[in-house]
Amino acid sequence: MRRSLWTAAVLTLAACAAEAAEVKTPVSTAGTTADVAAPSLPGGKAAVGDFGIDLAAGKKSVRAGDDFFAYANGTWEDTFQIPADKASFGEFERLDDLSKQRVRAIIEAAAAAHAPKGTPQQQIGDYYAAFMDQAAIEANGLKPIQPQLDEIAAAKSRADVARLFGTIGFASLFDTQLPPDFKNPDRYAVFISESTLGLPDRDYYLKDDPQLKAVREKYVAYVAQMLTLGGVSADPHADARAIMAFETEASKVQWPVEQRRDATAIYNPRSKKQLEAYAPGFPWQPFLEAQRLGAREELVLAELSAIRDLAALFARTPVPTLKAFLAFHYLNDNAGELPKRFDEARFAFYGQVLRGQPQQRERWQRGVDAVDDALGEAVGQLYVAQYFPPQSKAKMQQLVADLRAALSERIDALDWMSTPTKSRAHEKLAAFTAKIGYPDKWKDYSALVVRADDPSGNARRAAEWAWDYQIARLDKPVDRSEWGMTPQEINAYYNASNNEIVFPAAILQPPFFDPNADDAVNYGAIGAVIGHEIGHGFDDQGRKFGPDGAMQDWWTAKDTEVFTARTARLIKQFNSFEALPGLKVNGANTIGENIGDLGGLNMAHEAYLISLKGKPAPVLEGLTGDQRFFLAYAQVWREKFRDGFLRQLVLSNEHAPPRFRVNGPLPNIDAWYTAFDVKPGDKLYLAPEERVRIW
Ligand SMILES: [Zn+2]
């Protein structure tokens, strides 16, 4: 239920990590060539093709200038079948499969060690074993969560409901999160934000669209089914309709994605008294006490008007409806650890109806996810010992330095930016730090009690542990060594509050990064990824943060004006892309990512040219250096989607679909025209004055 408000401060590379549990990238062994044994080491052969590009994947009958994504990936796209247990498949999912298989082997070895209680091996092994013991799960029925269902049933007043809203594990209209304060990144702040609801985003409740109307009807049926299975309602159909009406009203006042990602708009410091006066309909004190924040006087409100209006909605909603809302979501959120009838009902709605995925992933894959969610760094520590060669770190450090040098040159050459803003941009760039592979300091989970016979309890205690961890350090200086991803994740991020770029070990593999691939390929793949993350520091939100991670305006008014005008043109370009019939990409919602992609490609290309030191690039199998650079970029983004999942991505995620992350930025880059002889009349052709040049 927790929606990350960090979208404003922590920008990820890909959609897969930015989504809630059930929306997470699914995994499977189908269609993969997993090498669980060893990572690829320098001195060998490239992992893909002769030099890092899958030449058979492209489609030469397509003109590069008409559809570069198809030119690079079209044959693969025409022939590859998405596995039945996936909602999408591409390089991210393929590597995710590989991570899952490696982690499974790590878990099984941990379990076999029969280590003492409280050791990482015992915790990992028992967490997984409990999740996998389906016979015990069936036999126990609802017993493991009965105390929580009883607490909901016993709630009498709005204050009782508010207390449950604040208790870890229960649904709520509000979330509390404890990131660094945007304006003072040395200390943590208490942010209160709107919470996610049962459907992915507000359009699912509100938009007049036949597909979404059908989803709404099925959602109501699913809610009634869960209430029936849980035996928590005297009239499940009436309660389901009341829950739907309540969530629909909530979605009306919630902010759209493009507003939620505005760092300035979601930073509203208020005292508790001010909050109580501004949003009086909600009993804030019992809510904050349940969060162990009862004595906190300083808060930051994120979606300001939504918080006020959700509090008013709470005040006018009958208590029985609020209790039905809590009971449904408790069952829904815990379905993975409940008997099959709950788990299958949940998949039928979230997997099949919403995403169009025919089959549920195998149990072990979901078990690996569960262990990763609860004990991610304990697993990660074992993962990097086996699968992250130290040479990779040195090579990445070099690439990051190359990209930084390239951006520095590009800043000097910008014709639209004034000297004062340029010097501040240089200052920010010089202050960037990079984290590569894994944390220097690992989280200590020893206080977390994990039992081999209690999967629901394990999940609850893990969530409580994670909250305790944050509460315990709330008044201490910000821990700048912390990681927001695990080493085994296939993703990367920029954290504005720490002005840092972060690359987990698992993305530093082919096709993103291959010590044996051609340089042009590495610059086009991982180079563009590094550039993307650096680019977030200078996108429409990242530019609001200074070198030390504090939100501050370091731009002249004139430079802001030009930047905003150029950004508006990029928004317009992306608004014209159609993801599904009648469903256009949201240019405003995806602008930060698109600035990151465009800037990242420019930086990576410049870094590649610098690396050639004035010598011509070698031609390999008839491909020039620039051709290999752009093809490598397009190939890391190849991905196929089921319609339902693609719709969900477009309506609720700040990343554009991968096809447009290729066909969107490239037409703004002059070198791409030369490399592929793109001419007026080609579908992606933009006249030089139409090309957007930002970084
Ligand atoms: Zn990003």
Side-chain angles (χ1 to χ4, degrees), residues 140-314:
N140 286 330
L142 279 176
K143 227 184 301 161
I145 64 161
Q146 199 57 52
Q148 287 72 33
L149 295 177
D150 290 347
E151 274 187 78
I152 296 170
K156 297 211 162 39
S157 63
R158 281 173 206 285
D160 292 343
V161 173
R163 202 169 291 114
L164 289 173
F165 273 16
T167 306
I168 294 298
F170 290 86
S172 176
L173 284 176
F174 306 101
D175 276 339
T176 309
Q177 295 176 59
L178 313 175
D181 189 318
F182 288 0
K183 291 215 168 152
N184 182 357
D186 294 328
R187 61 166 206 192
Y188 294 103
V190 176
F191 275 73
I192 295 178
S193 63
E194 62 179 44
S195 185
T196 49
L197 303 163
L199 293 174
D201 216 310
R202 62 202 301 274
D203 279 353
Y204 278 83
Y205 291 96
L206 304 176
K207 204 174 174 191
D208 186 16
D209 171 304
Q211 307 272 6
L212 299 180
K213 274 186 190 160
V215 167
R216 291 199 276 273
E217 278 168 28
K218 289 179 175 154
Y219 179 58
V220 176
Y222 167 64
V223 174
Q225 183 187 7
M226 280 305 240
L227 294 172
T228 307
L229 288 172
V232 290
S233 167
D235 189 345
H237 292 280
D239 278 343
R241 284 193 299 274
I243 290 169
M244 184 59 167
F246 173 65
E247 293 191 1
T248 304
E249 288 304 304
S251 70
K252 282 181 189 166
V253 300
Q254 287 193 336
W255 285 14
V257 200
E258 59 263 36
Q259 209 177 339
R260 291 201 302 266
R261 57 177 292 284
D262 181 337
T264 326
I266 63 166
Y267 185 78
N268 306 288
R270 296 288 188 276
S271 69
K272 185 157 66 187
K273 277 201 169 57
Q274 285 175 316
L275 167 64
E276 284 167 340
Y278 176 70
F282 185 72
W284 292 103
Q285 188 57 27
F287 170 79
L288 289 168
E289 277 167 12
Q291 301 252 296
R292 296 169 42 208
L293 294 166
R296 206 81 193 171
E297 293 300 326
E298 287 175 45
L299 305 163
V300 181
L301 309 188
E303 304 87 353
L304 196 57
S305 65
I307 287 168
R308 177 195 63 201
D309 296 343
L310 289 170
L313 169 64
F314 180 88

Side-chain angles (χ1 to χ4, degrees), residues 11-13 532-533 536 593 655 661:
L11 295 309
T12 58
L13 172 68
H532 173 98
E533 301 308 340
H536 273 313
E593 297 302 324
H655 298 83
R661 296 185 69 171

Side-chain angles (χ1 to χ4, degrees), residues 300-564:
V300 181
L301 309 188
E303 304 87 353
L304 196 57
S305 65
I307 287 168
R308 177 195 63 201
D309 296 343
L310 289 170
L313 169 64
F314 180 88
R316 65 173 190 269
T317 303
V319 170
T321 300
L322 297 170
K323 289 169 65 172
F325 167 82
L326 279 167
F328 160 68
H329 282 291
Y330 205 87
L331 292 163
N332 181 47
D333 291 345
N334 289 279
E337 289 87 17
L338 289 176
K340 264 192 172 157
R341 56 191 183 276
F342 294 92
D343 188 37
E344 285 172 358
R346 178 178 161 86
F347 175 74
F349 179 71
Y350 284 99
Q352 291 175 332
V353 172
L354 266 185
R355 307 198 302 184
Q357 179 180 325
Q359 273 176 29
Q360 169 103 295
R361 288 178 298 153
E362 284 179 47
R363 184 88 189 165
W364 75 262
Q365 294 162 325
R366 297 191 286 135
V368 165
D369 266 354
V371 176
D372 268 342
D373 286 348
L375 294 154
E377 288 196 9
V379 172
Q381 195 168 358
L382 298 167
Y383 175 92
V384 296
Q386 253 177 293
Y387 298 112
F388 188 61
Q391 299 95 312
S392 294
K393 195 159 183 166
K395 176 93 180 157
M396 269 299 281
Q397 277 160 340
Q398 185 54 49
L399 281 165
V400 169
D402 292 353
L403 268 284
R404 197 198 288 261
L407 180 56
S408 182
E409 285 192 12
R410 293 188 65 85
I411 289 170
D412 286 334
L414 293 177
D415 59 4
W416 59 271
M417 188 181 271
S418 71
T419 311
T421 307
K422 278 185 183 179
S423 85
R424 299 304 307 274
H426 277 299
E427 242 177 85
K428 177 159 184 178
L429 180 61
F432 261 74
T433 54
K435 288 176 177 166
I436 296 163
Y438 54 90
D440 293 331
K441 194 179 83 192
W442 298 96
K443 287 195 171 99
D444 171 9
Y445 297 95
S446 56
L448 172 59
V449 175
V450 179
R451 287 171 37 188
D453 61 353
D454 186 16
S456 297
N458 290 342
R460 190 176 59 249
R461 285 186 294 272
E464 286 165 358
W465 182 92
W467 186 248
D468 289 349
Y469 180 88
Q470 293 193 61
I471 289 282
R473 67 174 191 194
L474 187 53
D475 292 313
K476 297 182 183 156
V478 164
D479 176 5
R480 291 186 180 254
S481 72
E482 191 184 22
W483 279 55
M485 286 181 183
T486 64
Q488 60 274 27
E489 261 180 74
I490 321 300
N491 215 329
Y493 67 92
Y494 172 68
N495 175 2
S497 294
N498 216 3
N499 195 26
E500 64 178 358
I501 48 178
V502 186
F503 306 94
I507 198 171
L508 306 178
Q509 299 183 80
F512 290 93
F513 174 71
D514 182 351
N516 300 312
D518 162 50
D519 279 352
V521 170
N522 275 322
Y523 280 102
I526 197 71
V529 168
I530 298 168
H532 173 98
E533 301 308 340
I534 296 177
H536 273 313
F538 300 95
D539 74 13
D540 66 317
Q541 300 306 316
R543 77 177 191 87
K544 297 173 177 173
F545 292 78
D548 62 351
M551 191 157 70
Q552 56 175 255
D553 190 359
W554 47 270
W555 293 60
T556 66
K558 175 78 179 127
D559 290 329
T560 294
E561 195 185 304
V562 180
F563 176 90
T564 307

